[in-house]
Amino acid sequence: NAGVTQTPKFQVLKTGQSMTLQCAQDMNHNSMYWYRQDPGMGLRLIYYSASEGTTDKGEVPNGYNVSRLNKREFSLRLESAAPSQTSVYFCAGALMGYTDTQYFGPGTRLTVL
Amino acid sequence: DQQVKQNSPSLSVQEGRISILNCDYTNSMFDYFLWYKKYPAEGPTFLISISSIKDKNEDGRFTVFLNKSAKHLSLHIVPSQPGDSAVYFCAASVPGTYKYIFGTGTRLKVLA
């Protein structure tokens, strides 16, 4: 039982490059989330998926796209990376969502040069 | 506009003493709150939660208090231990959605 896993752990991109951050969970979560953590800003929600087949914008969705590939996997794509997207990205899952505990992955540290 | 605020970026406490971490929110519709703890290079982990129908919830050394009229919650850790040194985030569940809004975090350092 791996919980919530994220790949890669670290990534360095050049401005304009694209990449996909992968997230998978084996906890039977219906809801999945992508957050970014920046110094002094806390955790900000980028996108979330309340259930398989649905996705919705969070607080800071610009510059990102997501795919809920199936119940287990929720990926985050940067089409044209910018230095402002340098951050630590966390994926999380919850059984249903509202009032449910979120379980977080270990994070991906992304640097955009 | 920060709807969940943690105004103290850091806090230092002696081992064995009480740690009190504070959180304020602006939206009176919030009715469920959670605290998470985060160690460096790890994802946040759930610590304790409280529903607005309660004003206190306790789990071992951790107690969360909710003051709805003041839109304020606090996390008490008694006694504090060096292993409690971490960043603590409070979060509010947004009613009618599956979203959570997090505060900016408070870094707690427990001194041995």
Side-chain angles (χ1 to χ4, degrees):
Chain A
N1 188 341
V4 179
T5 57
Q6 293 182 236
T7 53
K9 284 188 167 39
F10 302 94
Q11 183 72 48
V12 178
L13 293 177
K14 294 181 179 176
T15 296
Q17 287 185 314
S18 63
M19 81 159 295
T20 300
L21 281 65
Q22 306 286 355
C23 174
Q25 52 88 9
D26 60 4
M27 303 178 75
N28 202 32
H29 291 154
N30 289 295
S31 303
M32 296 185 74
Y33 305 80
W34 277 105
Y35 293 90
R36 58 179 289 174
Q37 185 195 7
D38 302 293
M41 303 293 289
L43 289 160
R44 292 183 293 169
L45 182 64
I46 304 171
Y47 269 94
Y48 68 104
S49 169
S51 61
E52 187 179 353
T54 68
T55 60
D56 285 286
K57 296 178 181 179
E59 302 166 72
V60 288
N62 291 345
Y64 305 94
N65 285 302
V66 289
S67 294
R68 183 75 183 267
L69 303 168
N70 47 55
K71 186 171 183 178
R72 290 188 63 247
E73 298 171 288
F74 189 38
S75 61
L76 179 72
R77 182 158 178 86
L78 288 71
E79 290 291 352
S80 179
S84 61
Q85 294 178 304
T86 293
S87 188
V88 182
Y89 291 85
F90 291 101
C91 176
L95 192 58
M96 285 302 294
Y98 184 57
T99 77
D100 280 325
T101 300
Q102 287 188 313
Y103 293 87
F104 284 81
T108 294
R109 185 173 292 275
L110 175 68
T111 302
V112 183
L113 302 174
Chain B
D1 179 30
Q2 192 74 23
Q3 296 189 64
V4 178
K5 302 177 187 177
Q6 294 176 257
N7 291 318
S8 298
S10 63
L11 175 68
S12 290
V13 170
Q14 285 294 132
E15 181 179 6
R17 306 296 291 268
I18 184 171
S19 296
I20 300 177
L21 293 88
N22 294 304
C23 180
D24 296 293
Y25 60 96
T26 58
N27 190 337
S28 58
M29 298 298 291
F30 290 158
D31 61 3
Y32 193 82
F33 304 90
L34 309 94
W35 284 92
Y36 286 83
K37 179 165 78 172
K38 185 184 178 306
Y39 292 119
E42 294 183 11
T45 55
F46 171 73
L47 195 55
I48 193 168
S49 62
I50 189 166
S51 163
S52 62
I53 61 172
K54 294 185 170 184
D55 53 19
K56 176 182 171 181
N57 190 26
E58 209 167 341
D59 184 1
R61 296 186 297 115
F62 302 92
T63 302
V64 56
F65 295 93
L66 176 62
N67 183 334
K68 290 186 290 293
S69 60
K71 298 195 192 71
H72 176 84
L73 60 155
S74 60
L75 174 68
H76 293 211
I77 307 173
V78 183
S80 301
Q81 299 173 352
D84 296 329
S85 297
V87 177
Y88 289 79
F89 292 99
C90 67
S93 183
V94 181
T97 77
Y98 289 83
K99 294 195 291 189
Y100 299 77
I101 295 179
F102 281 76
T104 52
T106 296
R107 183 178 301 276
L108 173 66
K109 189 169 185 179
V110 180
L111 307 169

